[in-house]
Amino acid sequence: MAMSESDIHKGWIYQTSNQQERLVLGWDRDGRVVYSSKGKNPDAPFQNCHVRITTRKFAQRATGKVRQIDDLEPYLVANKATTVVVR
């Protein structure tokens, strides 16, 4: 079941219907959600790359929140997500 676009928050890990996990890093200047997927490296989850997607599509694919990450700085640096803006 899709979630509301207003339920998307920076620093939260969301699960998709395919049991994938995505960490929201923030938004880009065009208002798209910037996130990182968990990836295949168990020693460095959410540190593989970043993806930009519309808020609508992210909300359609996400089924719920898993947990919150307090310090996003290591993930922003590891994913080279330098264009992320704070909302």
Side-chain angles (χ1 to χ4, degrees), residues 10-11 23-28 32-35 72 76 84-85:
K10 179 181 78 166
L23 171 62
V24 174
L25 301 172
W27 288 262
D28 68 5
R32 293 177 294 185
V33 175
V34 179
Y35 72 88
L72 286 180
L76 293 170
V84 173
V85 294

Side-chain angles (χ1 to χ4, degrees), residues 75-87:
Y75 299 98
L76 293 170
V77 172
N79 290 297
K80 298 177 179 78
T82 56
T83 60
V84 173
V85 294
V86 176
R87 244 179 157 179

Side-chain angles (χ1 to χ4, degrees), residues 16-78:
T16 68
S17 59
N18 294 336
Q19 307 305 315
Q20 297 174 339
E21 292 184 354
R22 296 175 174 167
L23 171 62
V24 174
L25 301 172
W27 288 262
D28 68 5
R29 292 182 183 105
D30 296 327
R32 293 177 294 185
V33 175
V34 179
Y35 72 88
S36 178
S37 60
K38 190 169 187 174
K40 296 182 180 180
N41 183 352
D43 297 328
F46 304 107
Q47 296 186 13
N48 48 351
C49 66
H50 68 280
V51 177
R52 293 177 173 91
I53 189 171
T54 64
T55 306
R56 180 178 172 204
K57 282 195 178 197
F58 188 91
Q60 288 173 342
R61 295 176 183 174
T63 58
K65 293 180 178 179
V66 177
R67 67 183 180 280
Q68 187 176 17
I69 303 290
D70 292 325
D71 184 16
L72 286 180
E73 190 64 30
Y75 299 98
L76 293 170
V77 172

